Amino acid sequence: MKKLLIGLFLIIIMLSPVYSASGFAVTYGETTYGNANLKNTVNTYFQSKTSKNITDATSKVVTASEVNAISTNITGNTYPSSQIFSCAMVDLSYNQGIDVVVDTSKITVVTPKMYANALESCGINNGYVVVTSPVSASGEAALAGVLDSYEIAVGTPIPAQAKKAATEELHTETQIVNETGVDPNKIADLFSNIKNQVQSQNLQDPTKIKVIVVNVANSMNINLTDQQAQQIANTISDSQKAQSSLTNFKNQLQNATNQATKSGGIIDQIMNYLHSIYNYLTNLVQQYS
């Protein structure tokens, strides 16, 4: 009888759905993760932005070395382990485009539109994203955590070329904001409008892209120097070149989104059901052992 019951339990487990992607992920900057008070502050904010239980999210710690591996050659900045605060949450059960929420009381420069632009460079156009920090931060370094959260939620890595292009794009946006004093959302719209035209014409040549940069900037009454226009053109060119590497990731993202959307409302029921069966079988085993 005992062997029979154990066998039945194993059959139930084998017949149960197996999810390779979590669909719901959180990343913590290593400084935040190592401080219980800071981590609690972040979790409280995340919990206020979702109906799910934040403790059910698959989590990962983002280290300084990981951030620096991408940012050093783009921003020139390197961060010690004591300065990695930003955290991110991604939920793929949201399938109505992309919805980015930024804790503006802590993230001082990067806006939801700017994150959305950077994510688009990685082939990401859907998901619910929340970004926060327990202390004031520009928000640039948080992109590493956002991308990591997507990798966990999707269950597959984002190609390094695309991650670099996204980081470079976000850095260029923040730099243009700081240099021009133009509203960050307007600069985000500038990049979005340029990218739409570049993508529709399937351009990768920075020289041709620069013409579009100048024309779009003029139409939006944004004054750019020649150097700034060239920098934007180079950044968007790199983003365009990275798109060919994203085919597999985009397919996996779509699959994970479909899976999270369909299963999001029943996963808890399935797990509770399996747990109840496990308890029932365990009790039977104890009775007949």
mmCIF file of all heavy atoms in Angstrom, residues 164-212:
data_model
loop_
_atom_site.group_PDB
_atom_site.id
_atom_site.type_symbol
_atom_site.label_atom_id
_atom_site.label_comp_id
_atom_site.label_asym_id
_atom_site.label_seq_id
_atom_site.Cartn_x
_atom_site.Cartn_y
_atom_site.Cartn_z
ATOM 1 N N LYS A 164 23.679 45.613 -23.934
ATOM 2 C CA LYS A 164 24.606 46.734 -24.051
ATOM 3 C C LYS A 164 23.952 47.905 -24.784
ATOM 4 O O LYS A 164 24.077 49.061 -24.384
ATOM 5 C CB LYS A 164 25.872 46.306 -24.785
ATOM 6 C CG LYS A 164 26.931 47.403 -24.915
ATOM 7 C CD LYS A 164 28.184 46.867 -25.586
ATOM 8 C CE LYS A 164 29.263 47.950 -25.686
ATOM 9 N NZ LYS A 164 28.860 49.085 -26.537
ATOM 10 N N ALA A 165 23.220 47.590 -25.868
ATOM 11 C CA ALA A 165 22.552 48.642 -26.639
ATOM 12 C C ALA A 165 21.492 49.343 -25.800
ATOM 13 O O ALA A 165 21.350 50.573 -25.863
ATOM 14 C CB ALA A 165 21.924 48.044 -27.895
ATOM 15 N N ALA A 166 20.745 48.578 -24.996
ATOM 16 C CA ALA A 166 19.702 49.168 -24.148
ATOM 17 C C ALA A 166 20.313 50.073 -23.091
ATOM 18 O O ALA A 166 19.802 51.164 -22.809
ATOM 19 C CB ALA A 166 18.878 48.064 -23.498
ATOM 20 N N THR A 167 21.405 49.625 -22.492
ATOM 21 C CA THR A 167 22.089 50.422 -21.467
ATOM 22 C C THR A 167 22.659 51.696 -22.073
ATOM 23 O O THR A 167 22.563 52.787 -21.486
ATOM 24 C CB THR A 167 23.223 49.605 -20.815
ATOM 25 O OG1 THR A 167 22.677 48.392 -20.302
ATOM 26 C CG2 THR A 167 23.865 50.378 -19.677
ATOM 27 N N GLU A 168 23.231 51.560 -23.248
ATOM 28 C CA GLU A 168 23.788 52.729 -23.941
ATOM 29 C C GLU A 168 22.685 53.732 -24.276
ATOM 30 O O GLU A 168 22.865 54.952 -24.134
ATOM 31 C CB GLU A 168 24.490 52.274 -25.222
ATOM 32 C CG GLU A 168 25.124 53.409 -26.017
ATOM 33 C CD GLU A 168 25.807 52.917 -27.285
ATOM 34 O OE1 GLU A 168 25.703 51.706 -27.602
ATOM 35 O OE2 GLU A 168 26.442 53.733 -27.967
ATOM 36 N N GLU A 169 21.535 53.223 -24.706
ATOM 37 C CA GLU A 169 20.426 54.102 -25.056
ATOM 38 C C GLU A 169 19.935 54.882 -23.838
ATOM 39 O O GLU A 169 19.714 56.100 -23.908
ATOM 40 C CB GLU A 169 19.283 53.293 -25.656
ATOM 41 C CG GLU A 169 18.087 54.148 -26.062
ATOM 42 C CD GLU A 169 17.000 53.336 -26.731
ATOM 43 O OE1 GLU A 169 17.324 52.307 -27.373
ATOM 44 O OE2 GLU A 169 15.825 53.740 -26.639
ATOM 45 N N LEU A 170 19.761 54.187 -22.712
ATOM 46 C CA LEU A 170 19.293 54.859 -21.507
ATOM 47 C C LEU A 170 20.299 55.912 -21.040
ATOM 48 O O LEU A 170 19.913 57.012 -20.624
ATOM 49 C CB LEU A 170 19.049 53.837 -20.397
ATOM 50 C CG LEU A 170 18.374 54.376 -19.133
ATOM 51 C CD1 LEU A 170 16.972 54.884 -19.445
ATOM 52 C CD2 LEU A 170 18.301 53.291 -18.053
ATOM 53 N N HIS A 171 21.572 55.570 -21.124
ATOM 54 C CA HIS A 171 22.612 56.527 -20.726
ATOM 55 C C HIS A 171 22.584 57.754 -21.628
ATOM 56 O O HIS A 171 22.700 58.892 -21.144
ATOM 57 C CB HIS A 171 23.982 55.871 -20.784
ATOM 58 C CG HIS A 171 25.122 56.837 -20.549
ATOM 59 N ND1 HIS A 171 25.286 57.517 -19.369
ATOM 60 C CD2 HIS A 171 26.147 57.250 -21.363
ATOM 61 C CE1 HIS A 171 26.341 58.305 -19.445
ATOM 62 N NE2 HIS A 171 26.878 58.158 -20.640
ATOM 63 N N THR A 172 22.438 57.546 -22.927
ATOM 64 C CA THR A 172 22.397 58.674 -23.860
ATOM 65 C C THR A 172 21.193 59.564 -23.586
ATOM 66 O O THR A 172 21.290 60.799 -23.609
ATOM 67 C CB THR A 172 22.351 58.169 -25.313
ATOM 68 O OG1 THR A 172 23.508 57.365 -25.572
ATOM 69 C CG2 THR A 172 22.325 59.332 -26.300
ATOM 70 N N GLU A 173 20.047 58.945 -23.313
ATOM 71 C CA GLU A 173 18.851 59.724 -22.985
ATOM 72 C C GLU A 173 19.087 60.601 -21.756
ATOM 73 O O GLU A 173 18.760 61.801 -21.766
ATOM 74 C CB GLU A 173 17.666 58.795 -22.737
ATOM 75 C CG GLU A 173 17.018 58.251 -23.982
ATOM 76 C CD GLU A 173 15.794 57.426 -23.668
ATOM 77 O OE1 GLU A 173 15.962 56.270 -23.244
ATOM 78 O OE2 GLU A 173 14.664 57.920 -23.843
ATOM 79 N N THR A 174 19.621 60.003 -20.688
ATOM 80 C CA THR A 174 19.843 60.777 -19.465
ATOM 81 C C THR A 174 20.876 61.869 -19.690
ATOM 82 O O THR A 174 20.764 62.971 -19.136
ATOM 83 C CB THR A 174 20.303 59.867 -18.316
ATOM 84 O OG1 THR A 174 21.490 59.173 -18.685
ATOM 85 C CG2 THR A 174 19.222 58.867 -17.952
ATOM 86 N N GLN A 175 21.870 61.592 -20.513
ATOM 87 C CA GLN A 175 22.897 62.589 -20.807
ATOM 88 C C GLN A 175 22.300 63.764 -21.569
ATOM 89 O O GLN A 175 22.602 64.935 -21.282
ATOM 90 C CB GLN A 175 24.023 61.945 -21.620
ATOM 91 C CG GLN A 175 25.267 62.822 -21.750
ATOM 92 C CD GLN A 175 26.433 62.069 -22.375
ATOM 93 O OE1 GLN A 175 26.286 60.938 -22.828
ATOM 94 N NE2 GLN A 175 27.587 62.691 -22.403
ATOM 95 N N ILE A 176 21.445 63.473 -22.552
ATOM 96 C CA ILE A 176 20.800 64.537 -23.330
ATOM 97 C C ILE A 176 19.884 65.365 -22.433
ATOM 98 O O ILE A 176 19.805 66.599 -22.546
ATOM 99 C CB ILE A 176 20.010 63.948 -24.516
ATOM 100 C CG1 ILE A 176 20.946 63.230 -25.497
ATOM 101 C CG2 ILE A 176 19.230 65.040 -25.248
ATOM 102 C CD1 ILE A 176 21.999 64.112 -26.125
ATOM 103 N N VAL A 177 19.191 64.710 -21.519
ATOM 104 C CA VAL A 177 18.333 65.425 -20.562
ATOM 105 C C VAL A 177 19.175 66.392 -19.736
ATOM 106 O O VAL A 177 18.823 67.570 -19.567
ATOM 107 C CB VAL A 177 17.598 64.437 -19.633
ATOM 108 C CG1 VAL A 177 16.961 65.174 -18.449
ATOM 109 C CG2 VAL A 177 16.543 63.664 -20.394
ATOM 110 N N ASN A 178 20.293 65.907 -19.219
ATOM 111 C CA ASN A 178 21.147 66.737 -18.369
ATOM 112 C C ASN A 178 21.781 67.888 -19.140
ATOM 113 O O ASN A 178 21.941 68.995 -18.603
ATOM 114 C CB ASN A 178 22.242 65.877 -17.734
ATOM 115 C CG ASN A 178 21.690 64.891 -16.717
ATOM 116 O OD1 ASN A 178 20.654 65.130 -16.108
ATOM 117 N ND2 ASN A 178 22.376 63.765 -16.540
ATOM 118 N N GLU A 179 22.140 67.636 -20.380
ATOM 119 C CA GLU A 179 22.821 68.669 -21.176
ATOM 120 C C GLU A 179 21.873 69.724 -21.731
ATOM 121 O O GLU A 179 22.242 70.888 -21.864
ATOM 122 C CB GLU A 179 23.581 68.010 -22.334
ATOM 123 C CG GLU A 179 24.783 67.183 -21.894
ATOM 124 C CD GLU A 179 25.450 66.435 -23.035
ATOM 125 O OE1 GLU A 179 24.909 66.458 -24.163
ATOM 126 O OE2 GLU A 179 26.502 65.813 -22.805
ATOM 127 N N THR A 180 20.643 69.326 -22.076
ATOM 128 C CA THR A 180 19.713 70.261 -22.703
ATOM 129 C C THR A 180 18.739 70.895 -21.716
ATOM 130 O O THR A 180 18.187 71.971 -21.991
ATOM 131 C CB THR A 180 18.884 69.554 -23.800
ATOM 132 O OG1 THR A 180 18.085 68.518 -23.194
ATOM 133 C CG2 THR A 180 19.801 68.955 -24.863
ATOM 134 N N GLY A 181 18.502 70.215 -20.591
ATOM 135 C CA GLY A 181 17.505 70.710 -19.646
ATOM 136 C C GLY A 181 16.083 70.486 -20.100
ATOM 137 O O GLY A 181 15.134 70.977 -19.477
ATOM 138 N N VAL A 182 15.917 69.713 -21.178
ATOM 139 C CA VAL A 182 14.581 69.410 -21.691
ATOM 140 C C VAL A 182 13.929 68.354 -20.800
ATOM 141 O O VAL A 182 14.601 67.481 -20.238
ATOM 142 C CB VAL A 182 14.665 68.912 -23.154
ATOM 143 C CG1 VAL A 182 13.285 68.493 -23.671
ATOM 144 C CG2 VAL A 182 15.251 70.008 -24.044
ATOM 145 N N ASP A 183 12.604 68.428 -20.673
ATOM 146 C CA ASP A 183 11.866 67.470 -19.865
ATOM 147 C C ASP A 183 12.206 66.039 -20.285
ATOM 148 O O ASP A 183 12.213 65.713 -21.472
ATOM 149 C CB ASP A 183 10.362 67.709 -20.037
ATOM 150 C CG ASP A 183 9.528 66.751 -19.201
ATOM 151 O OD1 ASP A 183 9.310 67.046 -18.010
ATOM 152 O OD2 ASP A 183 9.117 65.710 -19.745
ATOM 153 N N PRO A 184 12.496 65.148 -19.311
ATOM 154 C CA PRO A 184 12.871 63.767 -19.634
ATOM 155 C C PRO A 184 11.859 63.039 -20.510
ATOM 156 O O PRO A 184 12.233 62.260 -21.390
ATOM 157 C CB PRO A 184 12.985 63.101 -18.254
ATOM 158 C CG PRO A 184 13.335 64.214 -17.334
ATOM 159 C CD PRO A 184 12.584 65.410 -17.857
ATOM 160 N N ASN A 185 10.570 63.283 -20.284
ATOM 161 C CA ASN A 185 9.558 62.612 -21.096
ATOM 162 C C ASN A 185 9.576 63.087 -22.541
ATOM 163 O O ASN A 185 9.290 62.313 -23.464
ATOM 164 C CB ASN A 185 8.167 62.822 -20.495
ATOM 165 C CG ASN A 185 7.936 61.954 -19.275
ATOM 166 O OD1 ASN A 185 8.387 60.817 -19.213
ATOM 167 N ND2 ASN A 185 7.243 62.502 -18.289
ATOM 168 N N LYS A 186 9.934 64.348 -22.739
ATOM 169 C CA LYS A 186 10.020 64.859 -24.105
ATOM 170 C C LYS A 186 11.221 64.245 -24.827
ATOM 171 O O LYS A 186 11.149 63.927 -26.017
ATOM 172 C CB LYS A 186 10.122 66.389 -24.103
ATOM 173 C CG LYS A 186 9.988 67.011 -25.496
ATOM 174 C CD LYS A 186 9.857 68.528 -25.436
ATOM 175 C CE LYS A 186 9.642 69.109 -26.834
ATOM 176 N NZ LYS A 186 9.479 70.589 -26.799
ATOM 177 N N ILE A 187 12.316 64.065 -24.104
ATOM 178 C CA ILE A 187 13.485 63.403 -24.696
ATOM 179 C C ILE A 187 13.161 61.941 -24.990
ATOM 180 O O ILE A 187 13.572 61.389 -26.016
ATOM 181 C CB ILE A 187 14.701 63.506 -23.761
ATOM 182 C CG1 ILE A 187 15.144 64.972 -23.621
ATOM 183 C CG2 ILE A 187 15.862 62.655 -24.281
ATOM 184 C CD1 ILE A 187 15.567 65.638 -24.922
ATOM 185 N N ALA A 188 12.401 61.305 -24.096
ATOM 186 C CA ALA A 188 11.978 59.926 -24.341
ATOM 187 C C ALA A 188 11.116 59.845 -25.599
ATOM 188 O O ALA A 188 11.260 58.917 -26.414
ATOM 189 C CB ALA A 188 11.214 59.387 -23.137
ATOM 190 N N ASP A 189 10.217 60.819 -25.777
ATOM 191 C CA ASP A 189 9.395 60.875 -26.987
ATOM 192 C C ASP A 189 10.255 61.092 -28.225
ATOM 193 O O ASP A 189 9.984 60.521 -29.295
ATOM 194 C CB ASP A 189 8.353 61.987 -26.886
ATOM 195 C CG ASP A 189 7.221 61.650 -25.917
ATOM 196 O OD1 ASP A 189 7.010 60.447 -25.659
ATOM 197 O OD2 ASP A 189 6.568 62.591 -25.425
ATOM 198 N N LEU A 190 11.293 61.910 -28.084
ATOM 199 C CA LEU A 190 12.223 62.152 -29.191
ATOM 200 C C LEU A 190 12.836 60.825 -29.646
ATOM 201 O O LEU A 190 12.834 60.505 -30.850
ATOM 202 C CB LEU A 190 13.324 63.119 -28.752
ATOM 203 C CG LEU A 190 14.515 63.282 -29.717
ATOM 204 C CD1 LEU A 190 14.080 64.001 -30.989
ATOM 205 C CD2 LEU A 190 15.662 64.033 -29.029
ATOM 206 N N PHE A 191 13.362 60.068 -28.701
ATOM 207 C CA PHE A 191 13.978 58.783 -29.037
ATOM 208 C C PHE A 191 12.959 57.821 -29.648
ATOM 209 O O PHE A 191 13.259 57.123 -30.621
ATOM 210 C CB PHE A 191 14.606 58.158 -27.797
ATOM 211 C CG PHE A 191 16.019 58.596 -27.530
ATOM 212 C CD1 PHE A 191 16.292 59.897 -27.118
ATOM 213 C CD2 PHE A 191 17.080 57.732 -27.695
ATOM 214 C CE1 PHE A 191 17.593 60.313 -26.874
ATOM 215 C CE2 PHE A 191 18.381 58.129 -27.456
ATOM 216 C CZ PHE A 191 18.647 59.431 -27.048
ATOM 217 N N SER A 192 11.761 57.803 -29.074
ATOM 218 C CA SER A 192 10.732 56.898 -29.571
ATOM 219 C C SER A 192 10.347 57.241 -31.009
ATOM 220 O O SER A 192 10.214 56.345 -31.865
ATOM 221 C CB SER A 192 9.502 56.973 -28.674
ATOM 222 O OG SER A 192 8.489 56.099 -29.120
ATOM 223 N N ASN A 193 10.172 58.522 -31.293
ATOM 224 C CA ASN A 193 9.799 58.947 -32.641
ATOM 225 C C ASN A 193 10.900 58.642 -33.656
ATOM 226 O O ASN A 193 10.625 58.219 -34.789
ATOM 227 C CB ASN A 193 9.491 60.450 -32.660
ATOM 228 C CG ASN A 193 8.244 60.800 -31.874
ATOM 229 O OD1 ASN A 193 7.395 59.938 -31.627
ATOM 230 N ND2 ASN A 193 8.124 62.051 -31.442
ATOM 231 N N ILE A 194 12.148 58.864 -33.241
ATOM 232 C CA ILE A 194 13.280 58.563 -34.123
ATOM 233 C C ILE A 194 13.334 57.063 -34.405
ATOM 234 O O ILE A 194 13.482 56.631 -35.562
ATOM 235 C CB ILE A 194 14.605 59.026 -33.490
ATOM 236 C CG1 ILE A 194 14.651 60.554 -33.394
ATOM 237 C CG2 ILE A 194 15.799 58.529 -34.313
ATOM 238 C CD1 ILE A 194 15.789 61.074 -32.526
ATOM 239 N N LYS A 195 13.203 56.266 -33.364
ATOM 240 C CA LYS A 195 13.282 54.815 -33.532
ATOM 241 C C LYS A 195 12.168 54.288 -34.433
ATOM 242 O O LYS A 195 12.385 53.366 -35.232
ATOM 243 C CB LYS A 195 13.244 54.133 -32.168
ATOM 244 C CG LYS A 195 14.521 54.313 -31.367
ATOM 245 C CD LYS A 195 14.367 53.879 -29.920
ATOM 246 C CE LYS A 195 14.184 52.397 -29.784
ATOM 247 N NZ LYS A 195 14.153 51.979 -28.359
ATOM 248 N N ASN A 196 10.981 54.853 -34.305
ATOM 249 C CA ASN A 196 9.871 54.417 -35.157
ATOM 250 C C ASN A 196 10.196 54.633 -36.625
ATOM 251 O O ASN A 196 9.940 53.760 -37.465
ATOM 252 C CB ASN A 196 8.587 55.162 -34.781
ATOM 253 C CG ASN A 196 7.996 54.694 -33.468
ATOM 254 O OD1 ASN A 196 8.282 53.591 -33.009
ATOM 255 N ND2 ASN A 196 7.167 55.529 -32.852
ATOM 256 N N GLN A 197 10.745 55.798 -36.949
ATOM 257 C CA GLN A 197 11.102 56.085 -38.341
ATOM 258 C C GLN A 197 12.253 55.214 -38.816
ATOM 259 O O GLN A 197 12.257 54.712 -39.947
ATOM 260 C CB GLN A 197 11.446 57.563 -38.511
ATOM 261 C CG GLN A 197 10.264 58.501 -38.355
ATOM 262 C CD GLN A 197 10.569 59.913 -38.846
ATOM 263 O OE1 GLN A 197 11.382 60.107 -39.755
ATOM 264 N NE2 GLN A 197 9.918 60.899 -38.247
ATOM 265 N N VAL A 198 13.234 55.037 -37.944
ATOM 266 C CA VAL A 198 14.399 54.215 -38.301
ATOM 267 C C VAL A 198 13.979 52.769 -38.529
ATOM 268 O O VAL A 198 14.412 52.121 -39.498
ATOM 269 C CB VAL A 198 15.470 54.297 -37.189
ATOM 270 C CG1 VAL A 198 16.553 53.246 -37.404
ATOM 271 C CG2 VAL A 198 16.104 55.690 -37.166
ATOM 272 N N GLN A 199 13.110 52.266 -37.674
ATOM 273 C CA GLN A 199 12.654 50.883 -37.825
ATOM 274 C C GLN A 199 11.797 50.705 -39.063
ATOM 275 O O GLN A 199 11.901 49.676 -39.747
ATOM 276 C CB GLN A 199 11.883 50.467 -36.568
ATOM 277 C CG GLN A 199 12.765 50.299 -35.349
ATOM 278 C CD GLN A 199 11.988 50.201 -34.047
ATOM 279 O OE1 GLN A 199 10.752 50.211 -34.042
ATOM 280 N NE2 GLN A 199 12.697 50.109 -32.928
ATOM 281 N N SER A 200 10.964 51.677 -39.369
ATOM 282 C CA SER A 200 10.102 51.571 -40.557
ATOM 283 C C SER A 200 10.926 51.573 -41.839
ATOM 284 O O SER A 200 10.527 50.970 -42.842
ATOM 285 C CB SER A 200 9.088 52.717 -40.590
ATOM 286 O OG SER A 200 9.738 53.965 -40.796
ATOM 287 N N GLN A 201 12.104 52.217 -41.795
ATOM 288 C CA GLN A 201 12.994 52.259 -42.962
ATOM 289 C C GLN A 201 14.102 51.216 -42.874
ATOM 290 O O GLN A 201 14.930 51.110 -43.779
ATOM 291 C CB GLN A 201 13.602 53.659 -43.109
ATOM 292 C CG GLN A 201 12.565 54.749 -43.351
ATOM 293 C CD GLN A 201 13.201 56.139 -43.458
ATOM 294 O OE1 GLN A 201 14.241 56.300 -44.098
ATOM 295 N NE2 GLN A 201 12.576 57.131 -42.845
ATOM 296 N N ASN A 202 14.111 50.474 -41.768
ATOM 297 C CA ASN A 202 15.103 49.417 -41.550
ATOM 298 C C ASN A 202 16.536 49.928 -41.741
ATOM 299 O O ASN A 202 17.339 49.340 -42.477
ATOM 300 C CB ASN A 202 14.839 48.238 -42.500
ATOM 301 C CG ASN A 202 15.592 46.991 -42.077
ATOM 302 O OD1 ASN A 202 15.900 46.789 -40.896
ATOM 303 N ND2 ASN A 202 15.918 46.137 -43.043
ATOM 304 N N LEU A 203 16.847 51.020 -41.049
ATOM 305 C CA LEU A 203 18.166 51.650 -41.179
ATOM 306 C C LEU A 203 19.102 51.205 -40.068
ATOM 307 O O LEU A 203 18.678 50.965 -38.946
ATOM 308 C CB LEU A 203 18.031 53.171 -41.136
ATOM 309 C CG LEU A 203 17.197 53.836 -42.225
ATOM 310 C CD1 LEU A 203 17.120 55.346 -41.985
ATOM 311 C CD2 LEU A 203 17.775 53.548 -43.604
ATOM 312 N N GLN A 204 20.390 51.118 -40.416
ATOM 313 C CA GLN A 204 21.437 50.856 -39.427
ATOM 314 C C GLN A 204 22.604 51.827 -39.572
ATOM 315 O O GLN A 204 23.402 51.958 -38.638
ATOM 316 C CB GLN A 204 21.957 49.419 -39.569
ATOM 317 C CG GLN A 204 20.948 48.356 -39.199
ATOM 318 C CD GLN A 204 21.551 46.958 -39.204
ATOM 319 O OE1 GLN A 204 22.742 46.773 -39.442
ATOM 320 N NE2 GLN A 204 20.723 45.952 -38.934
ATOM 321 N N ASP A 205 22.673 52.506 -40.692
ATOM 322 C CA ASP A 205 23.770 53.440 -40.974
ATOM 323 C C ASP A 205 23.604 54.702 -40.121
ATOM 324 O O ASP A 205 22.618 55.424 -40.271
ATOM 325 C CB ASP A 205 23.767 53.798 -42.458
ATOM 326 C CG ASP A 205 24.927 54.715 -42.858
ATOM 327 O OD1 ASP A 205 25.676 55.169 -41.962
ATOM 328 O OD2 ASP A 205 25.076 54.992 -44.061
ATOM 329 N N PRO A 206 24.561 55.000 -39.238
ATOM 330 C CA PRO A 206 24.454 56.191 -38.382
ATOM 331 C C PRO A 206 24.308 57.495 -39.162
ATOM 332 O O PRO A 206 23.639 58.422 -38.698
ATOM 333 C CB PRO A 206 25.761 56.176 -37.582
ATOM 334 C CG PRO A 206 26.210 54.761 -37.605
ATOM 335 C CD PRO A 206 25.777 54.222 -38.943
ATOM 336 N N THR A 207 24.910 57.566 -40.332
ATOM 337 C CA THR A 207 24.832 58.795 -41.139
ATOM 338 C C THR A 207 23.399 59.053 -41.582
ATOM 339 O O THR A 207 22.902 60.191 -41.509
ATOM 340 C CB THR A 207 25.746 58.685 -42.378
ATOM 341 O OG1 THR A 207 27.090 58.447 -41.944
ATOM 342 C CG2 THR A 207 25.691 59.965 -43.196
ATOM 343 N N LYS A 208 22.713 58.002 -42.034
ATOM 344 C CA LYS A 208 21.324 58.149 -42.462
ATOM 345 C C LYS A 208 20.401 58.380 -41.262
ATOM 346 O O LYS A 208 19.435 59.143 -41.349
ATOM 347 C CB LYS A 208 20.888 56.914 -43.240
ATOM 348 C CG LYS A 208 21.614 56.740 -44.571
ATOM 349 C CD LYS A 208 21.146 55.490 -45.307
ATOM 350 C CE LYS A 208 21.879 55.341 -46.634
ATOM 351 N NZ LYS A 208 21.453 54.111 -47.365
ATOM 352 N N ILE A 209 20.726 57.722 -40.175
ATOM 353 C CA ILE A 209 19.907 57.891 -38.966
ATOM 354 C C ILE A 209 20.035 59.316 -38.428
ATOM 355 O O ILE A 209 19.051 59.893 -37.937
ATOM 356 C CB ILE A 209 20.319 56.861 -37.889
ATOM 357 C CG1 ILE A 209 19.987 55.447 -38.361
ATOM 358 C CG2 ILE A 209 19.618 57.160 -36.555
ATOM 359 C CD1 ILE A 209 20.464 54.345 -37.437
ATOM 360 N N LYS A 210 21.204 59.892 -38.553
ATOM 361 C CA LYS A 210 21.427 61.256 -38.049
ATOM 362 C C LYS A 210 20.511 62.257 -38.736
ATOM 363 O O LYS A 210 20.034 63.218 -38.114
ATOM 364 C CB LYS A 210 22.888 61.659 -38.239
ATOM 365 C CG LYS A 210 23.216 63.032 -37.659
ATOM 366 C CD LYS A 210 24.686 63.401 -37.868
ATOM 367 C CE LYS A 210 24.991 64.786 -37.354
ATOM 368 N NZ LYS A 210 26.403 65.170 -37.598
ATOM 369 N N VAL A 211 20.244 62.048 -40.011
ATOM 370 C CA VAL A 211 19.340 62.935 -40.748
ATOM 371 C C VAL A 211 17.953 62.899 -40.101
ATOM 372 O O VAL A 211 17.310 63.942 -39.912
ATOM 373 C CB VAL A 211 19.243 62.513 -42.235
ATOM 374 C CG1 VAL A 211 18.191 63.351 -42.957
ATOM 375 C CG2 VAL A 211 20.594 62.648 -42.916
ATOM 376 N N ILE A 212 17.510 61.713 -39.738
ATOM 377 C CA ILE A 212 16.213 61.571 -39.080
ATOM 378 C C ILE A 212 16.246 62.230 -37.704
ATOM 379 O O ILE A 212 15.290 62.903 -37.298
ATOM 380 C CB ILE A 212 15.837 60.082 -38.962
ATOM 381 C CG1 ILE A 212 15.614 59.490 -40.355
ATOM 382 C CG2 ILE A 212 14.591 59.902 -38.093
ATOM 383 C CD1 ILE A 212 15.329 57.997 -40.357
#
